Amino acid sequence: MRWIFRIVGALVLVAVLAIAALFVIPAERIAALAGDQFERATGRSMTISGDVRPSIWPTLGVRAEGVVIGNPAWVEDGPLLQAEVMHVGIGASALWGGRVQVQRFELVDAQIVLVRGEDGAVSWDFSGGEEVEAVNGDGGSGGSGLENFSLDIAEITNGALFYRDSVAETELRISDVDMVLTLPSAEGRATLEGGAVMNGAAISIDGVIDGVGPLLEGDLRPVVLTARWTGGEAGFDGRVGLVPLGVEGTIALDATDLDPVMALAGQPALELPRGLGRDRIAMNAAVTLASEGSTHLREASIVLDDNRLTGDVDILPGDDRPMIRARLQGGALDLTGLSEGGAEAEGGAGATGWSRDPIDVSGLFGADADVALVLAGLDLGMATLDAVDIRATLQAGRLVTELREVAGYGGTIGGQFIVNGRGGLSMRSDLRLNEVQLAPLLTQFAGYERLEGTGSGTIDLLLVGNSMHALMNSVSGSGSLDFGQGAILGLDIWGMIRNLDTSYQGEGSRTVYDSLAASFTVADGVLSNEDFAMESAVGRVSGSGTVGLGARVLDYTIIPEVLAGEASGIRVPLRISGAWSDPNFSIDLEALAEAELQEQIDALEEQATGALQEAASEALGTDVETVEDLEDALEDRLREEAETQLLRLFGGGSGN
């Protein structure tokens, strides 16, 4: 800001020079002298290619056309300032008293170019010029140079600003700039009012600075600013210092479109997912901006779409993206937008299967984050949790959610849930379940709604793909479940056996059980299980087969065994196959044939064993009832035969 007033001060000297030479020097000569005086004061060239018209009434001043103020030689983007018209009006009575009162400073159709070079040098550094002397001839020493300066009104009409930062590799273009600045005195209240267009969005600014002179000297001074644009409003009320840069006060923001604000900060537009500010961001907080560029919010109240949080936030600058550190509390948080891709109902599955719509993960790269959350609930799309105490870390598009103390699905859950957007989307769940409800868990993770129960287990799954279809067809991993009382919905196993009818539904169409246990592996979206075991008061059930998570199909065989009632002892294999939404039930004839064949084999083995025992008893002259008896009898006979042969060899025994 100091460079603006230095230019204004130099231009005032130019105006005084023009007025003094009004009747004795030609206009072109006045323009040349004005350029020399300006360059001596600022170190920059100034040329006036149009008319120079000094005026006495209604204000003492000068009007120049075609004014150009140069940038340093290393800037290739154009001059610092080009203006079709520049008008400087000076209060004559104050001037005679040694005080500069600028009644009007006006720029029409002005274009301003500001550049930060790759080495950090800035084009608005005027250290190459001499100190601007007071108009009455007394040299100024130090200070802001505004002690005897006032500005009734400074106005830019139809201006434009271009800013290029070669270090951050960002550019900012502002057009249609209309601004009015007043500065009654260095110690007084300066006001700023106006508007501009940034990236096609109109923005208006109102501001009050209490003491511009002390502000330029490095003091913290009261400042009130308000910015409004189509889609948002932001305000600040506090104190600001320029050397070094510092801000402290309160900030308020309510926006449905942050693009103009990001452009003003020299940052690209944010691509935020739903739930993290895609549609609305609102905030009230005590704010501190440190000299190194970090921002610190305390006692913040934050609204991100329909999510509301309170707590403390620190925003640190980064090479690629900002870093956000936060400790927050809130109610139920909806983050389904992190895995949102136009998915339909039933967990993202339509009538023909899982949605193939691409899932946009660009929001994961808007910032890095380290956030501790204590929430009443959390919905991640692939998992819904109740009260949670979690730690979320987002780094370069990879979100790791650590479940510290989490209630979910009627029980507790621990472990990690990862959403990774690097090189495409992948998800990882490494969870430990304790006394959770099976029905909502399987419904959300796999769209399967036919099992009820409460128990414990482990789930370690990896999903890779850019749509729900690709994710569910890529699932791999393993897990185990151990559940207490529950039911299988849409399947009455005991009714089917009692009625010898696989189409039997019965009242309620459910199979109640006392316990259920199983382990499983998953590869390429297909879950395989070999040790399903279910116990109930009526009987027991074992099972094995596959569940196609990607194809949403079943191919599973269960073998129920009735233990009570008239059907006690019946074992009938049942096969469940087809789509999840409409499975087929049938008697598994192949398994039944295998069971019948095994019974026949067992009977033949029993018969053969009986015949062998009878023959052995007759041959050995002793009763043989078991295999052990046969082995003992053979061992005794072999021992006796060996003794007889040894006696014959050494001439022993009777008859020798």
Side-chain angles (χ1 to χ4, degrees):
M1 193 171 183
R2 182 190 299 268
W3 68 275
I4 297 177
F5 289 102
R6 187 162 187 177
I7 289 179
V8 172
L11 291 175
V12 168
L13 290 180
V14 171
V16 172
L17 175 63
I19 295 166
L22 175 62
F23 300 105
V24 296
I25 302 177
E28 60 271 13
R29 181 58 177 158
I30 293 175
L33 291 173
D36 292 341
Q37 180 70 10
F38 184 86
E39 185 169 0
R40 186 176 71 86
T42 65
R44 301 295 177 80
S45 64
M46 184 181 77
T47 60
I48 302 175
S49 59
D51 293 339
V52 178
R53 302 174 186 174
S55 64
I56 298 177
W57 187 263
T59 60
L60 185 66
V62 64
R63 183 181 188 276
E65 298 178 356
V67 178
V68 178
I69 297 175
N71 255 321
W74 55 268
V75 176
E76 300 177 352
D77 299 284
L80 175 73
L81 171 68
Q82 297 183 80
E84 291 295 322
V85 176
M86 180 187 72
H87 182 202
V88 180
I90 303 170
S93 60
L95 184 62
W96 309 141
R99 177 171 172 267
V100 179
Q101 179 188 6
V102 181
Q103 293 182 332
R104 188 170 191 85
F105 179 80
E106 182 181 6
L107 293 175
V108 179
D109 294 335
Q111 298 182 30
I112 300 172
V113 174
L114 304 176
V115 178
R116 182 187 182 198
E118 295 180 355
D119 59 354
V122 295
S123 63
W124 57 91
D125 181 4
F126 289 88
S127 58
E130 302 175 9
E131 286 294 328
V132 177
E133 299 179 352
V135 176
N136 64 355
D138 295 335
S141 60
S144 64
L146 299 179
E147 292 84 356
N148 297 311
F149 184 91
S150 66
L151 181 63
D152 288 354
I153 185 169
E155 185 173 2
I156 298 178
T157 304
N158 194 31
L161 171 67
F162 170 73
Y163 172 70
R164 179 167 58 84
D165 190 330
S166 299
V167 176
E169 297 183 348
T170 59
E171 291 185 357
L172 171 64
R173 295 182 184 273
I174 304 176
S175 61
D176 300 330
V177 179
D178 294 305
M179 291 286 179
V180 177
L181 170 68
T182 64
L183 178 62
S185 69
E187 300 295 333
R189 292 165 60 88
T191 64
L192 175 68
E193 181 179 352
V197 174
M198 292 184 292
N199 293 337
I203 184 170
S204 63
I205 299 175
D206 299 310
V208 176
I209 303 174
D210 190 356
V212 175
L215 175 66
L216 295 178
E217 288 303 311
D219 292 349
L220 285 170
R221 300 302 301 172
V223 174
V224 178
L225 290 174
T226 302
R228 299 178 181 87
W229 62 95
T230 302
E233 178 178 349
F236 171 80
D237 188 350
R239 299 194 303 164
V240 175
L242 298 180
V243 185
L245 179 64
V247 175
E248 59 182 36
T250 59
I251 188 172
L253 169 69
D254 194 342
T256 57
D257 181 7
L258 279 179
D259 289 355
V261 177
M262 298 305 297
L264 184 61
Q267 298 294 324
L270 292 176
E271 296 291 339
L272 298 173
R274 184 176 61 84
L276 289 179
R278 184 191 68 182
D279 300 321
R280 184 192 178 206
I281 296 179
M283 177 175 57
N284 287 279
V287 61
T288 300
L289 177 62
S291 58
E292 64 272 15
S294 62
T295 303
H296 309 274
L297 305 178
R298 295 295 178 263
E299 299 180 358
S301 175
I302 303 170
V303 176
L304 302 172
D305 297 326
D306 294 328
N307 297 321
R308 297 179 180 272
L309 299 167
T310 60
D312 300 330
V313 180
D314 300 305
I315 304 175
L316 310 176
D319 295 335
D320 298 320
R321 60 190 66 84
M323 174 67 183
I324 301 173
R325 293 175 180 167
R327 300 295 178 264
L328 301 170
Q329 307 83 42
L333 200 65
D334 182 358
L335 294 182
T336 55
L338 291 175
S339 57
E340 193 174 64
E344 301 173 16
E346 296 188 32
T352 58
W354 299 105
S355 170
R356 296 175 183 266
D357 293 341
I359 297 175
D360 184 7
V361 297
S362 60
L364 294 174
F365 296 88
D368 291 338
D370 182 359
V371 179
L373 287 173
V374 177
L375 304 170
L378 176 63
D379 189 349
L380 292 170
M382 290 291 291
T384 301
L385 309 173
D386 298 326
V388 299
D389 181 357
I390 66 176
R391 175 77 170 269
T393 303
L394 176 61
Q395 184 176 17
R398 185 175 184 266
L399 175 64
V400 179
T401 303
E402 179 185 352
L403 310 180
R404 293 181 170 181
E405 186 175 338
V406 177
Y409 305 101
T412 60
I413 302 175
Q416 286 186 339
F417 190 84
I418 300 172
V419 179
N420 189 356
R422 302 173 186 172
L425 176 62
S426 64
M427 298 181 181
R428 176 73 180 271
S429 63
D430 183 5
L431 305 176
R432 300 177 301 277
L433 315 176
N434 183 36
E435 295 300 315
V436 300
Q437 296 177 6
L438 184 59
L441 179 69
L442 290 182
T443 297
Q444 189 160 49
F445 271 86
Y448 189 69
E449 303 176 352
R450 292 183 176 273
L451 284 179
E452 289 182 348
T454 301
S456 304
T458 61
I459 298 176
D460 185 359
L461 299 177
L462 174 65
L463 300 82
V464 179
N466 293 319
S467 67
M468 284 301 300
H469 174 82
L471 288 169
M472 297 307 295
N473 279 279
S474 72
V475 183
S476 62
S478 61
S480 63
L481 299 173
D482 187 2
F483 285 81
Q485 291 183 342
I488 302 175
L489 305 182
L491 176 64
D492 186 352
I493 296 175
W494 312 121
M496 289 181 180
I497 294 175
R498 287 193 303 269
N499 293 275
L500 297 178
D501 182 3
T502 58
S503 64
Y504 180 80
Q505 295 294 320
E507 185 177 356
S509 186
R510 56 196 283 127
T511 299
V512 178
Y513 59 82
D514 295 325
S515 67
L516 184 153
S519 63
F520 61 86
T521 60
V522 188
D524 297 326
V526 178
L527 182 150
S528 300
N529 160 255
E530 300 294 336
D531 60 357
F532 177 87
M534 185 182 76
E535 302 285 344
S536 76
V538 179
R540 67 171 65 95
V541 178
S542 60
S544 62
T546 61
V547 178
L549 302 178
R552 300 172 59 81
V553 295
L554 294 161
D555 187 2
Y556 205 85
T557 297
I558 60 174
I559 304 177
E561 180 178 358
V562 180
L563 301 179
E566 297 179 357
S568 177
I570 296 178
R571 298 174 71 250
V572 180
L574 296 177
R575 186 180 182 188
I576 308 172
S577 60
W580 294 0
S581 58
D582 188 21
N584 298 315
F585 302 98
S586 61
I587 296 176
D588 194 335
L589 298 178
E590 181 179 352
L592 187 62
E594 291 178 354
E596 181 66 25
L597 178 60
Q598 186 62 46
E599 290 179 0
Q600 294 179 10
I601 292 173
D602 292 342
L604 290 174
E605 289 180 348
E606 184 177 353
Q607 294 175 8
T609 300
L612 178 61
Q613 290 173 345
E614 183 178 350
S617 297
E618 182 178 350
L620 297 174
T622 183
D623 292 334
V624 177
E625 297 182 357
T626 65
V627 174
E628 287 78 10
D629 292 340
L630 177 59
E631 291 176 349
D632 291 341
L634 287 173
E635 184 178 353
D636 291 341
R637 176 60 60 88
L638 289 173
R639 184 183 301 109
E640 292 174 1
E641 184 65 25
E643 290 175 354
T644 300
Q645 296 301 324
L646 286 172
L647 288 173
R648 289 178 179 177
L649 178 63
F650 293 103
S654 59
N656 292 320

